[in-house]
Amino acid sequence: YLMVVLKSDIDKKLLPGGVMYLSLENPMISVKNSDNLSGVEAKIRKKLIMKGMFLNNPEVMAKMDKDLLSQGKSEIIEVEFDKAGEISKGNVLTLSEFELVFEKLKENIREMAEGIYGGHFRIRPVSNNGKSKCEYCPYSPICCFDENVFTFEEIKKESFEKVLEKLKEAE
């Protein structure tokens, strides 16, 4: 959606503030006694912080959380500033790096659409740290994945910096 809005004629001054995600899981907080109830809301907010990639522009970030610049930390987005006003935590991108990410995303979308249009539906179960989502997948009757026939493809988590480096190398 962000790519479409940025390419539209709505306003040529638009900047991508970020690409974020928020888990739909309801965070469970452990409370041992009723004296700890005052901190429960803060703990829940901490678990609900939006993660993702953000434009390296403090003014734009401040539009997402009005208290970010004054407090140096956000309860809304995963970004922090040090005392000098520099970003000390967060996955930040320049505008040109955002364009690299968008180009790779468009390439991925194009490949997926061509595969679907061509009738290619590979069985490609993945796991992360040996954990598979197949166990909970409601589409197993359609996919017919059989652990005796197929193997899981291990997806290794890579750092934000490593992924960005790979995108730049591919350019």
Side-chain angles (χ1 to χ4, degrees):
Y1 295 117
L2 180 60
M3 288 188 304
V4 171
V5 170
L6 292 172
K7 293 289 181 190
S8 72
D9 290 331
I10 295 171
D11 184 352
K12 294 296 180 186
K13 297 176 188 172
L14 292 176
L15 292 173
V19 178
M20 297 152 270
Y21 64 92
L22 176 65
S23 175
L24 294 177
E25 294 178 20
N26 190 9
M28 300 302 286
I29 305 298
S30 177
V31 179
K32 292 187 171 124
N33 59 44
S34 61
D35 295 339
N36 291 339
L37 293 178
S38 60
V40 170
E41 188 176 329
K43 287 179 182 178
I44 291 173
R45 274 197 310 273
K46 188 173 182 178
K47 290 213 176 223
L48 291 175
I49 197 164
M50 289 190 282
K51 297 169 176 38
M53 300 176 290
F54 305 93
L55 183 63
N56 192 355
N57 182 323
E59 287 180 37
V60 172
M61 289 180 196
K63 302 283 185 198
M64 291 183 249
D65 182 352
K66 62 181 174 57
D67 298 323
L68 175 62
L69 296 179
S70 62
Q71 294 180 1
K73 188 175 181 176
S74 176
E75 291 184 341
I76 299 170
I77 60 174
E78 193 175 53
V79 175
E80 291 182 22
F81 287 87
D82 60 20
K83 292 180 182 181
E86 300 294 320
I87 296 169
S88 60
K89 180 182 177 186
N91 298 329
V92 293
L93 299 171
T94 64
L95 202 49
S96 62
E97 290 169 336
F98 251 110
E99 289 172 8
L100 272 176
V101 170
F102 289 156
E103 286 307 312
K104 181 62 178 171
L105 182 58
K106 284 190 268 188
E107 180 184 319
N108 290 351
I109 292 169
R110 186 173 25 261
E111 287 175 8
M112 286 188 290
E114 288 171 357
I116 292 169
Y117 184 71
H120 303 289
F121 301 96
R122 277 183 32 209
I123 296 175
R124 187 178 172 235
V126 297
S127 65
N128 186 339
N129 292 327
K131 296 177 185 174
S132 166
K133 302 296 183 192
C134 291
E135 184 177 338
Y136 307 102
C137 178
Y139 301 105
S140 59
I142 297 168
C143 148
C144 298
F145 173 71
D146 183 350
E147 289 184 42
N148 298 318
V149 178
F150 301 102
T151 58
F152 289 101
E153 180 182 338
E154 180 70 21
I155 303 293
K156 294 180 180 148
K157 186 174 182 177
E158 291 188 340
S159 70
F160 172 76
E161 292 79 13
K162 182 80 172 172
V163 172
L164 191 55
E165 182 181 311
K166 284 182 178 182
L167 282 175
K168 289 178 180 178
E169 287 173 3
E171 188 180 30

